Amino acid sequence: MKRFSFFLFLLLFLVAMGIFAAAFFLSSEPTVTIYPKPNPRWWAFQSVDTMKHSRDLAREKLHDDSYDAVIDREVRAIADTGATHVAIATPYDEEFVPYLKRWVLAARKYHLGVWFRGNFSGWEEWFGYQKVSRSEHIFKTQAFIRRHPDIFQDGDAFSACPECENGGPGDPRSNGDIEGYRKFLIDEYAATQSSFEKLGKEVSSNFFSMNGDIARLVMDKGTTEKLGGIVTVDHYVKTPEVLASDAQDFISRSDGDLLLGEFGAPIPDINGDMTDEQQSVWLRDVLSRFTHIPRVFGMSYWTQTGSSTALWSEKGVPRAAVATLAEFFSPQVFYGTVRDELGAPIAGARVSSGTDFSTVTNGEGYFELRVPSSREGSALLSVSAQSFLSQEIPGETTQMSIVLPREEETWWFRLEKWMRRHREAWQRG
Protein backbone atom coordinates (compact mmCIF):
# COMPACT_ATOMS: atom_id res chain seq x y z
CA MET A 1 0.00 0.00 0.00
CA LYS A 2 2.83 2.34 0.86
CA ARG A 3 4.55 1.48 -2.40
CA PHE A 4 1.32 2.20 -4.34
CA SER A 5 0.93 5.55 -2.59
CA PHE A 6 4.53 6.42 -3.40
CA PHE A 7 4.11 5.59 -7.08
CA LEU A 8 0.81 7.52 -7.21
CA PHE A 9 2.50 10.52 -5.65
CA LEU A 10 5.41 10.20 -8.06
CA LEU A 11 3.02 9.96 -11.02
CA LEU A 12 1.08 13.02 -9.93
CA PHE A 13 4.33 14.89 -9.36
CA LEU A 14 5.60 14.01 -12.83
CA VAL A 15 2.28 15.04 -14.41
CA ALA A 16 2.35 18.36 -12.52
CA MET A 17 5.93 18.95 -13.60
CA GLY A 18 4.94 18.16 -17.20
CA ILE A 19 2.12 20.65 -17.07
CA PHE A 20 4.42 23.21 -15.47
CA ALA A 21 7.09 22.63 -18.12
CA ALA A 22 4.53 22.93 -20.90
CA ALA A 23 3.22 26.15 -19.41
CA PHE A 24 6.76 27.41 -18.96
CA PHE A 25 8.10 26.60 -22.40
CA LEU A 26 5.09 26.45 -24.67
CA SER A 27 2.69 29.15 -23.49
CA SER A 28 2.25 31.78 -26.17
CA GLU A 29 3.45 35.31 -25.98
CA PRO A 30 0.88 38.07 -26.37
CA THR A 31 0.37 38.94 -30.02
CA VAL A 32 1.99 42.19 -31.10
CA THR A 33 -0.35 43.92 -33.56
CA ILE A 34 0.80 46.68 -35.89
CA TYR A 35 -2.19 48.95 -36.35
CA PRO A 36 -2.49 51.31 -39.31
CA LYS A 37 -2.20 54.93 -38.23
CA PRO A 38 -5.71 56.36 -37.91
CA ASN A 39 -6.87 59.56 -39.58
CA PRO A 40 -5.54 62.25 -37.26
CA ARG A 41 -8.20 64.85 -38.06
CA TRP A 42 -11.16 65.66 -35.91
CA TRP A 43 -13.09 66.95 -38.93
CA ALA A 44 -13.17 65.65 -42.49
CA PHE A 45 -13.38 69.19 -43.88
CA GLN A 46 -11.07 71.93 -42.53
CA SER A 47 -10.89 75.24 -44.34
CA VAL A 48 -10.03 78.93 -44.12
CA ASP A 49 -11.91 81.49 -46.22
CA THR A 50 -10.15 84.00 -48.48
CA MET A 51 -13.21 86.05 -49.48
CA LYS A 52 -11.76 89.48 -48.72
CA HIS A 53 -9.06 88.94 -51.34
CA SER A 54 -10.35 86.19 -53.65
CA ARG A 55 -13.68 87.95 -54.22
CA ASP A 56 -13.48 91.58 -53.13
CA LEU A 57 -10.27 92.25 -55.10
CA ALA A 58 -11.25 90.14 -58.13
CA ARG A 59 -11.57 93.04 -60.54
CA GLU A 60 -8.83 95.17 -59.01
CA LYS A 61 -6.20 92.41 -59.21
CA LEU A 62 -7.50 90.67 -62.32
CA HIS A 63 -4.60 91.81 -64.50
CA ASP A 64 -2.01 92.33 -61.76
CA ASP A 65 0.34 89.37 -62.16
CA SER A 66 2.48 90.58 -59.27
CA TYR A 67 -0.40 89.74 -56.94
CA ASP A 68 0.34 86.04 -57.48
CA ALA A 69 2.99 86.35 -54.77
CA VAL A 70 0.31 87.40 -52.27
CA ILE A 71 -1.99 84.57 -53.37
CA ASP A 72 0.84 82.08 -52.96
CA ARG A 73 1.74 83.42 -49.50
CA GLU A 74 -1.85 83.28 -48.26
CA VAL A 75 -2.62 79.80 -49.57
CA ARG A 76 0.68 78.42 -48.25
CA ALA A 77 -0.08 79.83 -44.79
CA ILE A 78 -3.50 78.17 -44.82
CA ALA A 79 -1.99 74.84 -45.85
CA ASP A 80 0.52 75.08 -43.00
CA THR A 81 -2.31 75.02 -40.44
CA GLY A 82 -3.34 71.52 -41.50
CA ALA A 83 -6.38 72.69 -43.47
CA THR A 84 -7.77 70.26 -46.03
CA HIS A 85 -9.33 72.98 -48.21
CA VAL A 86 -9.16 76.67 -48.98
CA ALA A 87 -12.41 78.54 -49.54
CA ILE A 88 -12.16 80.68 -52.69
CA ALA A 89 -14.99 83.15 -53.26
CA THR A 90 -14.13 84.47 -56.74
CA PRO A 91 -17.29 85.05 -58.84
CA TYR A 92 -18.10 82.52 -61.58
CA ASP A 93 -18.60 85.08 -64.35
CA GLU A 94 -16.26 84.58 -67.30
CA GLU A 95 -14.65 87.95 -66.59
CA PHE A 96 -13.19 86.57 -63.35
CA VAL A 97 -12.26 83.02 -64.38
CA PRO A 98 -8.57 83.90 -65.02
CA TYR A 99 -8.34 85.30 -61.48
CA LEU A 100 -10.11 82.24 -60.06
CA LYS A 101 -7.65 79.95 -61.83
CA ARG A 102 -4.71 81.72 -60.18
CA TRP A 103 -6.13 80.90 -56.75
CA VAL A 104 -6.89 77.31 -57.77
CA LEU A 105 -3.34 76.87 -59.07
CA ALA A 106 -1.93 77.97 -55.71
CA ALA A 107 -4.25 75.55 -53.88
CA ARG A 108 -3.02 72.64 -55.98
CA LYS A 109 0.59 73.65 -55.42
CA TYR A 110 0.08 73.21 -51.66
CA HIS A 111 -2.05 70.06 -51.99
CA LEU A 112 -5.29 71.68 -50.85
CA GLY A 113 -8.79 70.91 -52.00
CA VAL A 114 -10.84 73.91 -53.09
CA TRP A 115 -14.18 74.98 -51.72
CA PHE A 116 -15.53 77.01 -54.62
CA ARG A 117 -17.59 79.51 -52.70
CA GLY A 118 -18.31 82.16 -55.31
CA ASN A 119 -21.52 83.00 -57.15
CA PHE A 120 -22.60 84.74 -60.30
CA SER A 121 -22.22 88.45 -59.68
CA GLY A 122 -25.76 89.15 -60.84
CA TRP A 123 -27.28 87.19 -57.95
CA GLU A 124 -26.35 89.93 -55.49
CA GLU A 125 -25.52 92.51 -58.21
CA TRP A 126 -21.80 92.60 -57.46
CA PHE A 127 -19.48 94.62 -59.70
CA GLY A 128 -22.43 96.24 -61.48
CA TYR A 129 -23.79 93.00 -62.97
CA GLN A 130 -27.50 92.75 -63.81
CA LYS A 131 -29.73 90.63 -61.58
CA VAL A 132 -30.34 86.99 -62.57
CA SER A 133 -33.37 84.78 -61.90
CA ARG A 134 -33.36 81.35 -60.29
CA SER A 135 -33.79 79.51 -63.59
CA GLU A 136 -31.06 81.58 -65.22
CA HIS A 137 -28.76 80.89 -62.26
CA ILE A 138 -29.12 77.12 -62.65
CA PHE A 139 -28.51 77.34 -66.41
CA LYS A 140 -25.41 79.51 -65.94
CA THR A 141 -24.07 77.20 -63.22
CA GLN A 142 -24.33 74.12 -65.45
CA ALA A 143 -22.62 76.00 -68.27
CA PHE A 144 -19.80 77.14 -65.97
CA ILE A 145 -19.04 73.60 -64.78
CA ARG A 146 -19.18 72.25 -68.33
CA ARG A 147 -16.94 75.02 -69.67
CA HIS A 148 -14.20 74.73 -67.01
CA PRO A 149 -13.67 71.06 -66.12
CA ASP A 150 -9.92 71.64 -65.63
CA ILE A 151 -10.34 73.65 -62.43
CA PHE A 152 -12.02 70.83 -60.50
CA GLN A 153 -10.52 67.73 -58.93
CA ASP A 154 -11.86 64.89 -56.79
CA GLY A 155 -12.44 65.98 -53.20
CA ASP A 156 -13.32 69.59 -54.04
CA ALA A 157 -16.54 71.26 -52.93
CA PHE A 158 -18.64 73.60 -55.03
CA SER A 159 -21.28 75.99 -53.74
CA ALA A 160 -23.40 77.36 -56.54
CA CYS A 161 -25.16 79.88 -54.33
CA PRO A 162 -23.73 80.58 -50.86
CA GLU A 163 -26.10 82.56 -48.63
CA CYS A 164 -28.74 82.56 -51.35
CA GLU A 165 -31.01 84.62 -49.14
CA ASN A 166 -28.85 87.68 -49.83
CA GLY A 167 -29.80 87.88 -53.52
CA GLY A 168 -32.18 86.64 -56.19
CA PRO A 169 -35.83 86.76 -55.10
CA GLY A 170 -34.74 87.64 -51.57
CA ASP A 171 -34.90 86.38 -48.00
CA PRO A 172 -37.62 83.79 -47.25
CA ARG A 173 -38.01 85.35 -43.80
CA SER A 174 -39.24 88.50 -45.56
CA ASN A 175 -40.98 87.25 -48.71
CA GLY A 176 -42.51 84.11 -47.19
CA ASP A 177 -41.32 81.95 -50.08
CA ILE A 178 -39.95 79.12 -47.98
CA GLU A 179 -40.98 76.35 -50.36
CA GLY A 180 -39.62 78.23 -53.36
CA TYR A 181 -36.28 78.68 -51.58
CA ARG A 182 -36.14 74.97 -50.71
CA LYS A 183 -37.02 73.93 -54.26
CA PHE A 184 -34.31 76.17 -55.72
CA LEU A 185 -31.63 74.61 -53.51
CA ILE A 186 -32.79 71.08 -54.35
CA ASP A 187 -32.96 71.81 -58.09
CA GLU A 188 -29.54 73.48 -58.00
CA TYR A 189 -28.08 70.48 -56.20
CA ALA A 190 -29.52 68.04 -58.73
CA ALA A 191 -28.18 70.13 -61.62
CA THR A 192 -24.67 70.45 -60.20
CA GLN A 193 -24.40 66.79 -59.21
CA SER A 194 -25.45 65.76 -62.69
CA SER A 195 -22.88 68.12 -64.21
CA PHE A 196 -20.02 66.74 -62.11
CA GLU A 197 -21.04 63.16 -62.77
CA LYS A 198 -20.82 63.85 -66.50
CA LEU A 199 -17.28 65.16 -65.93
CA GLY A 200 -16.38 62.08 -63.92
CA LYS A 201 -15.41 64.31 -60.98
CA GLU A 202 -16.25 63.57 -57.33
CA VAL A 203 -17.10 67.08 -56.17
CA SER A 204 -19.49 67.83 -53.30
CA SER A 205 -22.04 70.40 -54.39
CA ASN A 206 -24.41 70.42 -51.43
CA PHE A 207 -22.65 72.98 -49.24
CA PHE A 208 -25.46 75.56 -49.37
CA SER A 209 -24.28 77.86 -46.61
CA MET A 210 -26.92 80.07 -45.03
CA ASN A 211 -27.60 82.28 -42.06
CA GLY A 212 -28.47 80.37 -38.89
CA ASP A 213 -32.00 81.76 -38.76
CA ILE A 214 -32.54 80.70 -42.37
CA ALA A 215 -31.28 77.22 -41.55
CA ARG A 216 -33.80 76.90 -38.72
CA LEU A 217 -36.57 78.00 -41.07
CA VAL A 218 -35.63 76.07 -44.20
CA MET A 219 -33.52 73.04 -43.32
CA ASP A 220 -36.08 70.58 -42.02
CA LYS A 221 -35.25 66.87 -42.10
CA GLY A 222 -36.82 66.27 -45.50
CA THR A 223 -34.97 69.13 -47.17
CA THR A 224 -31.67 68.16 -45.57
CA GLU A 225 -32.06 64.60 -46.78
CA LYS A 226 -32.68 65.81 -50.33
CA LEU A 227 -29.52 67.93 -50.08
CA GLY A 228 -27.34 64.94 -49.25
CA GLY A 229 -27.58 65.10 -45.46
CA ILE A 230 -25.48 68.24 -44.95
CA VAL A 231 -26.60 71.48 -43.30
CA THR A 232 -24.14 74.35 -43.81
CA VAL A 233 -24.46 77.34 -41.51
CA ASP A 234 -22.67 80.69 -41.47
CA HIS A 235 -22.99 81.69 -37.85
CA TYR A 236 -21.60 84.46 -35.67
CA VAL A 237 -22.46 84.62 -31.98
CA LYS A 238 -21.02 86.15 -28.84
CA THR A 239 -19.73 83.14 -26.93
CA PRO A 240 -18.32 79.69 -27.67
CA GLU A 241 -21.04 78.22 -25.43
CA VAL A 242 -23.79 79.64 -27.64
CA LEU A 243 -22.03 78.54 -30.84
CA ALA A 244 -21.72 74.95 -29.57
CA SER A 245 -25.33 74.92 -28.35
CA ASP A 246 -26.61 76.28 -31.65
CA ALA A 247 -24.57 73.70 -33.56
CA GLN A 248 -26.27 70.89 -31.68
CA ASP A 249 -29.64 72.52 -32.38
CA PHE A 250 -28.95 72.71 -36.14
CA ILE A 251 -27.98 69.03 -36.16
CA SER A 252 -31.06 68.01 -34.18
CA ARG A 253 -33.51 70.02 -36.31
CA SER A 254 -32.10 68.90 -39.65
CA ASP A 255 -30.94 65.40 -38.73
CA GLY A 256 -27.92 66.22 -40.90
CA ASP A 257 -24.19 66.51 -40.49
CA LEU A 258 -23.11 70.07 -39.76
CA LEU A 259 -20.62 72.12 -41.76
CA LEU A 260 -19.84 75.40 -40.03
CA GLY A 261 -19.47 77.41 -43.22
CA GLU A 262 -18.42 80.66 -41.58
CA PHE A 263 -17.47 81.48 -38.00
CA GLY A 264 -14.93 83.71 -36.32
CA ALA A 265 -14.35 86.55 -33.90
CA PRO A 266 -14.38 89.33 -33.16
CA ILE A 267 -17.37 90.81 -34.93
CA PRO A 268 -17.40 94.22 -33.15
CA ASP A 269 -21.20 94.48 -32.94
CA ILE A 270 -21.38 90.98 -31.42
CA ASN A 271 -18.12 90.35 -29.58
CA GLY A 272 -16.80 93.85 -29.05
CA ASP A 273 -13.09 94.38 -29.50
CA MET A 274 -10.56 91.63 -28.77
CA THR A 275 -6.83 91.53 -28.39
CA ASP A 276 -4.93 88.92 -30.35
CA GLU A 277 -4.71 86.79 -27.22
CA GLN A 278 -8.44 87.10 -26.50
CA GLN A 279 -9.22 86.04 -30.07
CA SER A 280 -6.96 83.00 -29.62
CA VAL A 281 -8.64 82.04 -26.33
CA TRP A 282 -12.09 82.40 -27.94
CA LEU A 283 -11.09 80.19 -30.86
CA ARG A 284 -9.54 77.54 -28.60
CA ASP A 285 -12.75 77.36 -26.59
CA VAL A 286 -14.83 76.96 -29.75
CA LEU A 287 -12.66 74.25 -31.28
CA SER A 288 -12.36 72.34 -28.03
CA ARG A 289 -16.14 72.26 -27.66
CA PHE A 290 -16.65 71.17 -31.26
CA THR A 291 -14.37 68.15 -30.86
CA HIS A 292 -17.03 66.74 -28.54
CA ILE A 293 -20.06 67.34 -30.78
CA PRO A 294 -20.99 64.31 -32.89
CA ARG A 295 -21.91 64.85 -36.55
CA VAL A 296 -19.81 67.94 -37.09
CA PHE A 297 -18.57 67.32 -40.62
CA GLY A 298 -16.26 70.28 -40.81
CA MET A 299 -15.66 74.00 -40.46
CA SER A 300 -14.28 76.95 -42.37
CA TYR A 301 -12.88 79.93 -40.49
CA TRP A 302 -13.78 83.39 -41.82
CA THR A 303 -11.44 84.97 -42.78
CA GLN A 304 -7.81 84.58 -43.70
CA THR A 305 -7.24 88.33 -43.76
CA GLY A 306 -8.97 91.65 -44.43
CA SER A 307 -11.65 91.56 -41.70
CA SER A 308 -12.02 92.06 -37.95
CA THR A 309 -11.90 88.26 -37.55
CA ALA A 310 -8.73 87.88 -39.67
CA LEU A 311 -6.09 85.35 -38.69
CA TRP A 312 -3.28 87.14 -40.53
CA SER A 313 -2.50 90.82 -41.05
CA GLU A 314 -2.55 92.31 -44.53
CA LYS A 315 1.22 91.80 -44.66
CA GLY A 316 0.87 88.13 -43.78
CA VAL A 317 1.86 88.33 -40.11
CA PRO A 318 0.05 85.60 -38.16
CA ARG A 319 -2.01 86.43 -35.10
CA ALA A 320 -1.95 84.21 -32.02
CA ALA A 321 -5.09 82.44 -33.22
CA VAL A 322 -3.22 80.90 -36.16
CA ALA A 323 -1.23 78.63 -33.85
CA THR A 324 -4.45 77.72 -32.04
CA LEU A 325 -6.15 76.76 -35.29
CA ALA A 326 -3.16 74.64 -36.27
CA GLU A 327 -3.24 72.79 -32.93
CA PHE A 328 -6.73 71.54 -33.78
CA PHE A 329 -6.40 71.21 -37.56
CA SER A 330 -3.21 69.15 -37.04
CA PRO A 331 -3.76 67.32 -33.75
CA GLN A 332 -1.61 64.64 -32.19
CA VAL A 333 -3.15 61.19 -32.40
CA PHE A 334 -2.27 58.37 -30.04
CA TYR A 335 -3.47 54.83 -30.64
CA GLY A 336 -2.77 51.29 -29.56
CA THR A 337 -3.77 48.90 -26.81
CA VAL A 338 -4.15 48.72 -23.06
CA ARG A 339 -3.41 45.26 -21.62
CA ASP A 340 -2.64 43.60 -18.31
CA GLU A 341 0.77 42.18 -17.48
CA LEU A 342 -0.09 38.87 -19.15
CA GLY A 343 -1.13 40.55 -22.38
CA ALA A 344 -4.88 40.23 -21.94
CA PRO A 345 -6.78 43.25 -23.37
CA ILE A 346 -8.51 45.59 -20.93
CA ALA A 347 -11.87 46.79 -22.23
CA GLY A 348 -13.30 50.07 -20.99
CA ALA A 349 -9.97 51.54 -19.88
CA ARG A 350 -9.96 55.33 -19.98
CA VAL A 351 -7.13 57.10 -21.77
CA SER A 352 -7.08 60.85 -21.29
CA SER A 353 -5.00 63.97 -21.73
CA GLY A 354 -5.91 66.68 -19.26
CA THR A 355 -9.59 67.17 -18.47
CA ASP A 356 -10.89 67.89 -21.99
CA PHE A 357 -9.76 64.95 -24.13
CA SER A 358 -10.37 61.29 -23.36
CA THR A 359 -11.51 58.00 -24.85
CA VAL A 360 -12.12 54.41 -23.72
CA THR A 361 -10.76 51.16 -25.09
CA ASN A 362 -12.95 48.74 -27.03
CA GLY A 363 -13.33 45.02 -26.37
CA GLU A 364 -9.88 44.35 -27.80
CA GLY A 365 -8.27 46.98 -25.60
CA TYR A 366 -7.77 49.30 -28.60
CA PHE A 367 -8.00 53.09 -28.36
CA GLU A 368 -7.56 56.22 -30.44
CA LEU A 369 -7.06 59.59 -28.76
CA ARG A 370 -6.71 62.95 -30.48
CA VAL A 371 -5.35 65.93 -28.61
CA PRO A 372 -4.36 69.40 -29.82
CA SER A 373 -0.79 69.45 -31.03
CA SER A 374 1.55 71.35 -28.77
CA ARG A 375 4.80 73.16 -29.34
CA GLU A 376 5.64 72.65 -25.66
CA GLY A 377 6.47 68.96 -25.91
CA SER A 378 4.67 65.64 -25.69
CA ALA A 379 1.27 65.23 -24.10
CA LEU A 380 1.01 63.35 -20.79
CA LEU A 381 -1.52 60.54 -20.98
CA SER A 382 -3.42 59.20 -17.97
CA VAL A 383 -4.62 55.59 -18.21
CA SER A 384 -7.02 54.01 -15.73
CA ALA A 385 -9.35 51.04 -15.44
CA GLN A 386 -11.36 49.43 -12.67
CA SER A 387 -9.29 46.97 -10.59
CA PHE A 388 -6.03 48.23 -12.11
CA LEU A 389 -3.40 50.71 -10.97
CA SER A 390 -3.53 53.96 -12.93
CA GLN A 391 -0.53 55.06 -14.96
CA GLU A 392 0.74 58.34 -16.38
CA ILE A 393 2.65 57.93 -19.62
CA PRO A 394 4.46 60.53 -21.75
CA GLY A 395 3.06 60.59 -25.28
CA GLU A 396 6.47 60.19 -26.91
CA THR A 397 5.27 57.83 -29.66
CA THR A 398 2.04 57.65 -31.62
CA GLN A 399 1.43 53.88 -31.42
CA MET A 400 1.45 52.71 -27.82
CA SER A 401 1.27 49.38 -25.98
CA ILE A 402 0.22 50.29 -22.46
CA VAL A 403 0.40 47.80 -19.58
CA LEU A 404 -1.62 48.30 -16.39
CA PRO A 405 -0.74 46.35 -13.22
CA ARG A 406 -3.62 44.79 -11.28
CA GLU A 407 -4.53 46.20 -7.88
CA GLU A 408 -4.76 42.65 -6.48
CA GLU A 409 -3.25 39.51 -7.98
CA THR A 410 -4.48 35.95 -7.53
CA TRP A 411 -1.93 33.25 -6.77
CA TRP A 412 -2.46 31.82 -10.26
CA PHE A 413 -1.84 35.24 -11.85
CA ARG A 414 1.37 35.61 -9.83
CA LEU A 415 2.47 32.13 -10.94
CA GLU A 416 1.88 32.99 -14.59
CA LYS A 417 3.87 36.22 -14.16
CA TRP A 418 6.70 34.29 -12.53
CA MET A 419 6.75 31.73 -15.33
CA ARG A 420 6.72 34.42 -18.01
CA ARG A 421 9.52 36.38 -16.37
CA HIS A 422 11.75 33.31 -16.02
CA ARG A 423 10.90 32.01 -19.49
CA GLU A 424 11.94 35.34 -21.00
CA ALA A 425 15.21 35.18 -19.01
CA TRP A 426 15.76 31.60 -20.19
CA GLN A 427 15.09 32.58 -23.83
CA ARG A 428 17.57 35.44 -23.59
CA GLY A 429 20.15 32.82 -22.62
Side-chain angles (χ1 to χ4, degrees):
M1 187 66 181
K2 289 182 179 180
R3 180 174 293 182
F4 175 77
S5 298
F6 172 77
F7 281 114
L8 179 60
F9 171 79
L10 181 61
L11 178 63
L12 292 175
F13 176 78
L14 292 174
V15 170
M17 289 301 295
I19 294 173
F20 180 84
F24 187 87
F25 291 106
L26 301 178
S27 60
S28 61
E29 294 291 330
T31 301
V32 177
T33 304
I34 305 299
Y35 293 96
K37 188 173 182 178
N39 185 341
R41 297 189 181 95
W42 267 300
W43 306 287
F45 188 92
Q46 301 178 163
S47 174
V48 177
D49 200 295
T50 62
M51 179 187 293
K52 302 306 290 184
H53 285 179
S54 61
R55 186 190 75 184
D56 293 1
L57 301 183
R59 182 169 280 165
E60 178 183 337
K61 301 297 183 182
L62 182 59
H63 303 294
D64 181 0
D65 293 341
S66 68
Y67 196 67
D68 286 351
V70 177
I71 294 173
D72 186 271
R73 182 191 73 201
E74 295 191 359
V75 175
R76 182 180 70 248
I78 290 170
D80 286 345
T81 67
T84 61
H85 291 71
V86 54
I88 299 172
T90 308
Y92 303 141
D93 312 281
E94 287 303 307
E95 174 190 359
F96 303 111
V97 168
Y99 187 65
L100 171 61
K101 287 185 175 182
R102 290 157 64 186
W103 282 91
V104 172
L105 186 64
R108 305 311 184 205
K109 177 180 177 181
Y110 295 107
H111 310 292
L112 288 174
V114 174
W115 182 9
F116 294 88
R117 204 162 177 268
N119 202 336
F120 291 98
S121 296
W123 188 256
E124 294 187 42
E125 299 177 276
W126 300 331
F127 301 107
Y129 274 69
Q130 294 297 310
K131 201 171 189 66
V132 298
S133 66
R134 285 172 173 168
S135 59
E136 186 180 2
H137 191 281
I138 292 175
F139 176 80
K140 288 170 72 70
T141 301
Q142 289 176 303
F144 172 77
I145 296 170
R146 184 174 61 251
R147 195 176 293 124
H148 302 289
D150 56 306
I151 67 173
F152 302 106
Q153 71 175 25
D154 291 351
D156 285 345
F158 177 82
S159 292
C161 188
E163 295 189 5
C164 275
E165 64 270 16
N166 292 336
D171 192 324
R173 293 173 297 180
S174 304
N175 62 25
D177 187 22
I178 300 172
E179 288 307 314
Y181 189 90
R182 286 173 174 157
K183 184 178 185 304
F184 174 59
L185 299 186
I186 293 167
D187 290 347
E188 189 95 70
Y189 177 46
T192 53
Q193 282 295 98
S194 174
S195 296
F196 285 119
E197 286 172 5
K198 289 177 182 177
L199 294 183
K201 300 287 180 76
E202 295 183 3
V203 177
S204 300
S205 63
N206 56 343
F207 294 4
F208 289 101
S209 55
M210 61 189 69
N211 175 282
D213 291 335
I214 300 292
R216 289 190 174 101
L217 180 66
V218 172
M219 297 299 289
D220 57 12
K221 294 179 180 179
T223 303
T224 305
E225 183 178 5
K226 291 176 182 177
L227 292 177
I230 297 281
V231 56
T232 306
V233 181
D234 298 351
H235 203 47
Y236 299 92
V237 295
K238 187 173 182 62
T239 67
E241 294 90 337
V242 172
L243 189 57
S245 176
D246 285 352
Q248 292 169 319
D249 181 54
F250 295 135
I251 292 168
S252 176
R253 286 172 180 268
S254 67
D255 194 28
D257 294 336
L258 176 68
L259 173 60
L260 196 56
E262 286 185 15
F263 77 107
I267 301 292
D269 291 345
I270 298 174
N271 311 100
D273 294 326
M274 287 183 177
T275 65
D276 280 12
E277 185 58 33
Q278 288 171 329
Q279 180 193 35
S280 178
V281 169
W282 185 94
L283 181 59
R284 183 182 302 279
D285 196 353
V286 168
L287 297 175
S288 180
R289 290 173 186 274
F290 270 70
T291 64
H292 301 295
I293 302 176
R295 302 192 68 176
V296 174
F297 171 73
M299 55 181 59
S300 184
Y301 186 90
W302 195 90
T303 61
Q304 200 269 355
T305 193
S307 70
S308 62
T309 64
L311 295 172
W312 286 267
S313 74
E314 288 289 345
K315 294 184 178 180
V317 178
R319 294 180 175 175
V322 173
T324 300
L325 187 72
E327 288 179 19
F328 285 84
F329 274 13
S330 301
Q332 290 179 285
V333 57
F334 302 100
Y335 63 104
T337 55
V338 180
R339 300 178 181 273
D340 68 15
E341 292 174 291
L342 295 181
I346 303 174
R350 179 164 295 279
V351 184
S352 59
S353 176
T355 58
D356 293 330
F357 304 98
S358 67
T359 188
V360 295
T361 57
N362 64 15
E364 297 177 348
Y366 180 79
F367 73 92
E368 294 178 7
L369 178 67
R370 292 166 183 81
V371 301
S373 59
S374 174
R375 299 169 188 260
E376 300 175 358
S378 301
L380 184 65
L381 305 186
S382 298
V383 189
S384 61
Q386 188 173 2
S387 302
F388 290 86
L389 297 175
S390 300
Q391 301 286 302
E392 287 197 342
I393 302 171
E396 296 173 346
T397 59
T398 53
Q399 180 166 341
M400 310 179 77
S401 297
I402 299 171
V403 177
L404 290 186
R406 291 181 178 271
E407 290 180 343
E408 296 182 3
E409 299 178 350
T410 64
W411 69 269
W412 180 252
F413 188 87
R414 289 196 295 271
L415 177 61
E416 286 192 83
K417 278 179 58 179
W418 182 89
M419 286 192 297
R420 174 165 295 175
R421 186 168 58 251
H422 285 77
R423 183 180 64 248
E424 289 172 353
W426 176 80
Q427 289 171 340
R428 286 194 299 267

